[in-house]
Amino acid sequence: MWQSSPPGSIYDYIRVASFSIGPDGLVEQWSRRAVDLFGVTAEEARGKDPVEAFVPADLRERGHRKVREILDGKEWTGLVPFRIPGEDRPHGIAEMYVMPSETQSGERAALCIVVDVRALRRIETDLAASQAIFGQSPFGFLLFGTDLTVKRANRRFATVFGGSADDHRGRTVHDYLNRAEADRMTAALRSVLETGESVTDFEIVGAAPGARDRRHWSINLYRVHSGSGRPIGVAGLGIDVTRRHNAAREAASARRNLALLNEAGARIGNSLDLEATARELLNVAVPGFCDLASVDLYQGLLSGDEAPPGRWGSSHDVGYGGSAELRRVAVASAVSDTPLRTGEGDGPGSGCPGSEPIALGALHRYSFNSPCAGALRTGRLRTVTGVDGGLVQTTLVVPMVAHDTVVGLVQFSRAKGSESFGERDRALAVELAARAAVCIDNARLYRREHERALILQRSLLPPGDPEAAGLDIACRYLPGTAATEVGGDWFDVIELPGHRTALVIGDVMGRGLRAAVAMGELRTAVRTLAQLDLEPAEVLSHLDEIARGLGAPIGAQQSRGHKSRGPELAEVYLATCVYAVYDPVTRRCTFANAGHLPPVLVAPGEEALLLDVPPGMPLGVGGEPFEEVAVELPEGALLALYTDGLVESRDHPLDEGLSAFRRALTDQDRPLEDVCDRVLTSLETGHGEDDIALLMARIQGLPAEAVGDWRLPREPRSVGRARELARTQLAAWDLEPLVDTVELLVSELVTNALRYGEGEIRLRLLRDRTLVCEVWDAGLVQPRRRRAKDTDEGGRGLQLVGLLSSSWGSRRTPRGKTVWFELALPDGEAAEPTVEQLLSMF
């Protein structure tokens, strides 16, 4: 079958030319390629002697001899220098093949085939270079035809995939790769063949014949063309990049681990809450490190036990049947909402991997032989393989160890299909658990100290919401040291006889526990002095002496075994204090001030005012008396006592703070608790620099109908009159159940006033949360309770008052004394005296 040579054939590259020589030795025919090679047209060449025309002069004699030999019937092949006619210098060297021939008449002629030697040498060089590159390349090389079958493979490719290079001819990519990868490769080959766009670094994964490990190859594809530009196939160059891939994966793993550690350092431990710290750990680990995770902490740690939860190898780690009791405090999953089940279990509910799931917040124990219990005992990581058909592939069971103490257990799991844990991952798991463990242990220690501080603070502040007759009270306390939540500021609300109330606020100079201890001593002293019912100035005078006694000289310390600090004195306790006594009957409040900020009074419809109470010297200085100021407070007025931390800071002077405080109190009609909150939120207190204490009271005085007040002449019939007045008043108050007791006790007190007192007698009954009876006289001798002898006819009055009343006492007044007793209202829980108690008086 005849067909023309396609464009770009080998003949186009080697440029074969031909011409013929007639019997006369002259050119008869001249091909077109001869025209291209020699640069001479056919008209110019025909009829010429080829030797004379194309051979240099010095070679013409030899050339004529060769032509004669050829015409005699001899073939000849050789290299012949030639020149372009009209030029003297040689133009090139031609390889010539001369074949004798005959004309139609039988005469001898010759056919000459000529090739430019330079073209042949270029082709030989290109073939040699191509063969060297293709055959000696260290990379796999394939040439795919237009039908996407292998046309040629080099030796390197055959070395990897077996056989010789020729054995791979006619194969397709499906003979080397799994279906998914082969389809990807085929699509890439087809795209390159159709579009001509090269593909670089096309990565495929597969395994060489007889090998199990997966290899990674980077493939570069480009389309191959003929000399005329016609596509004849696709060339593929493959490089094994498995090591590079593994190195990149290791580097990525290392970067990921470093990023996780950095994130862990930033996110774990932000809270001093145990459960929150466990959740922070899982938020870092899932899904960046693992697919599922859980944290168990020792229940003893959560409940605040003093003993550490467990130490390596100690029996404390193991309770009955296995580990000590733990609580599941955190769970996280990136693949499923189902609880964690990871490996071979030890039985339902045991809490071991693979057993029944543990609910969040559940208490559980690990059995003795479980990997979890083993990790808790040894303090070492355990690796557990997942069960067949389960979700989890591998679990790392990591004990949480801080300062050689095991505080809990964390489990990191990866689901099937994820990458297995490596050595770097195990090291990272231990590091994450250790960081979380330190934070959890710090949180445990903080919580323990925090609870101790709170216990101390609560013991130093009024219990619950303070209550007082004729006052609506609200208070706030913010310590300056958030670490301990205790400081030197204090306030107190103390009930006094006659439904009166002592309001106290103070500030020990200094901060922290030392100031809190001094504050506790002063607060106790204030309560003790208040029970003596002394005047405010007297209370502060006694407090000043107590404060001075709290600082002892160095000599005294050395005598108690303290090391000498040189000539300095021990720390002197200085404090400021305001002591006020409020009487709800008269709505009068008596103030005494020891170097403290003045109280603030807000009358209804008026601006807040600073009360002019002489400040005096701070407690502990000594040598100066304290003054008292009595102020009548309007009904509905607002009284505020506070410490300097509320109104003074480094950025704001005291005057600005006081002005802002007064403006914050203008809306006094709001509920008192809301007023307190508004003050704290509106003022720029600079909290953290100093403690803040705020005590606010709204004046509500006792109504007139709750007070019975009478003056009695100093005569015996006043006893009966007192009983009659008391009985009538109790009936008006619907307190008939108390009539007999009150009549009896009033008789005793009025009788004592007539017998031992002086001047006019005053009887007063007060009804509020309790019933108070007061008997006043001008005598200064305080009554004293004594035990009467069996033969005595009297002397048992105060004993009777003590048995029948809830409480009783006496206090000095500016013009004498007051003896009082208090009874619970009928719905109260006052205890009735027993027969034995009554008989004990005789």
Side-chain angles (χ1 to χ4, degrees), residues 166 650 672 734:
D166 292 337
R650 296 176 182 176
L672 201 56
D734 295 328

Side-chain angles (χ1 to χ4, degrees), residues 404-456:
D404 293 339
T405 299
V406 180
V407 299
L409 189 75
V410 57
Q411 299 180 55
F412 302 109
S413 299
R414 287 184 179 173
K416 291 182 178 178
S418 299
E419 185 178 357
S420 300
F421 288 113
E423 288 302 321
R424 291 180 182 270
D425 296 326
R426 292 179 175 85
L428 177 61
V430 173
E431 179 66 22
L432 289 175
R435 291 194 179 196
V438 170
C439 295
I440 287 174
D441 195 48
N442 290 340
R444 174 181 69 88
L445 296 175
Y446 167 78
R447 185 168 67 177
R448 185 183 66 184
E449 298 303 320
H450 179 69
E451 289 176 351
R452 291 176 177 176
L454 287 181
I455 292 173
L456 174 62

Side-chain angles (χ1 to χ4, degrees), residues 83-124:
R83 66 181 179 81
I84 302 298
E87 297 182 6
D88 293 334
R89 61 182 182 84
H91 184 72
I93 298 176
E95 184 175 84
M96 186 176 294
Y97 179 54
V98 183
M99 298 174 290
S101 62
E102 293 182 357
T103 63
Q104 188 175 3
S105 61
E107 293 180 300
R108 293 186 177 182
L111 176 63
C112 300
I113 298 176
V114 185
V115 178
D116 189 347
V117 173
R118 293 175 299 176
L120 288 176
R121 296 296 178 265
R122 283 196 300 270
I123 292 174
E124 289 174 355

Side-chain angles (χ1 to χ4, degrees), residues 201 370 583 801:
D201 203 17
S370 66
D583 187 340
V801 171

